[in-house]
Amino acid sequence: RKRTSAAVARFLERPSQEIVDSMEPDGSVPVSTLFAARPAFAARMYSNPALVVQTILSNSTATVTADAEKMTVRLLTAEELLISACEKYVASKVTEDSFGFG
């Protein structure tokens, strides 16, 4: 999961012209465009956009997110990354406190 998310993040951080041309204003890109721009990635993912989307959505440590309805991916915004980090911190504290570790 982490490798898939990291690969998608790299593709979006340093996009090819093909990816830039199909990027929406919010930075989202159809997975099919990633496959067209990165054939080796498409082969690793069995050319299955749903596999990419579900893998990204199941990876809570990712810097990317996906939309299962639109079959798109995008980088998380700074605000989303901050919220995610805070949620993880709070969750770890709740767990520690719940078991008497905190």
Side-chain angles (χ1 to χ4, degrees):
R1 284 185 277 187
K2 289 182 181 181
R3 286 188 347 194
T4 300
S5 296
V8 170
R10 277 193 316 274
F11 301 154
L12 297 175
E13 288 166 352
R14 294 184 296 277
S16 67
Q17 191 59 48
E18 185 174 2
I19 292 171
V20 170
D21 291 344
S22 68
M23 198 172 278
E24 295 294 324
D26 69 350
S28 63
V29 175
V31 176
S32 59
T33 299
L34 291 184
F35 286 167
R38 304 291 185 159
F41 178 69
R44 270 198 344 258
M45 296 284 100
Y46 305 103
S47 297
N48 184 346
L51 179 59
V52 175
V53 168
Q54 291 307 316
T55 300
I56 288 172
L57 291 175
S58 68
N59 183 2
S60 63
T61 62
T63 59
V64 293
T65 190
D67 184 320
E69 188 175 312
K70 297 178 184 176
M71 288 294 153
T72 59
V73 293
R74 68 172 173 80
L75 292 170
L76 290 173
T77 65
E79 180 180 0
E80 289 169 326
L81 288 169
L82 181 60
I83 290 169
S84 176
C86 290
E87 287 172 345
K88 288 175 195 163
Y89 175 76
V90 169
S92 74
K93 288 301 181 187
V94 169
T95 302
E96 289 174 8
D97 292 344
S98 298
F99 294 105
F101 298 126

